[in-house]
Amino acid sequence: MLHPLQLFKTLSDETRLSIIMLLREAGELCVCDLCFATTELQPKVSRHMALLRESGLVIDRREGKWIHYRLSPHMPAWAATIIDNSWNCLREETREKLKNRLPGSC
C-alpha cells in the first residue's frame, strides 16, 4: 500500500514529477515519447520508470520492443487526487512539453 511519505519522496524528483504529469495529460506514452518530452536519455528515463512502477503509480505494457506506460488505475484515490491537483497547476507546462513530440515516432 502506498504511503504518503513514499508518494512525496517519489514525486520530489523533477523528472519523475514531469513523467507523472505527462502521463496524466496524455494517458499513455512510450519510453521514446517520455525521453523526448523530458529531454532525458533512455537509460535515465527507464530507471525513473522502474521506481514509479515499484511505487505503484504506473503500469506498463509491451508492444514489440517498446514499453508503454500509463498511470495505474489501482493507486489509492488520495494519491490520484494529489496528482490531479498537481496537474491542474502544471497543465500548461506539461502540454507544452508534449506539443512538439512526433506521434508514432517509435
Side-chain angles (χ1 to χ4, degrees):
M1 185 75 164
L2 184 65
H3 187 277
L5 182 59
Q6 181 185 12
L7 175 69
F8 289 115
K9 281 183 176 183
T10 301
L11 297 181
S12 68
D13 180 86
E14 185 177 352
T15 301
R16 288 192 295 271
L17 177 62
S18 181
I19 288 169
I20 292 294
M21 294 300 105
L22 290 163
L23 294 173
R24 168 60 179 80
E25 174 67 24
E28 183 177 77
L29 290 169
C30 178
V31 171
C32 61
D33 291 329
L34 292 169
C35 291
F36 180 81
T38 60
T39 66
E40 298 291 349
L41 297 176
Q42 183 272 326
K44 185 172 183 180
V45 169
S46 292
R47 187 168 20 93
H48 285 297
M49 295 314 298
L51 292 169
L52 291 168
R53 203 172 41 250
E54 288 170 12
S55 72
L57 294 176
V58 301
I59 57 174
D60 62 359
R61 69 175 180 86
R62 182 174 290 278
E63 186 175 301
K65 67 177 183 173
W66 298 106
I67 299 178
H68 298 265
Y69 293 94
R70 63 186 167 104
L71 293 179
S72 175
H74 308 294
M75 79 172 76
W78 62 265
T81 300
I82 290 169
I83 289 170
D84 286 344
N85 288 337
S86 299
W87 177 81
N88 283 328
C89 294
L90 300 170
R91 178 180 26 215
E92 294 308 316
E93 177 183 324
T94 302
R95 288 179 176 164
E96 193 61 35
K97 288 179 181 179
L98 282 173
K99 189 177 182 180
N100 298 321
R101 74 181 172 101
L102 302 173
S105 61
C106 301

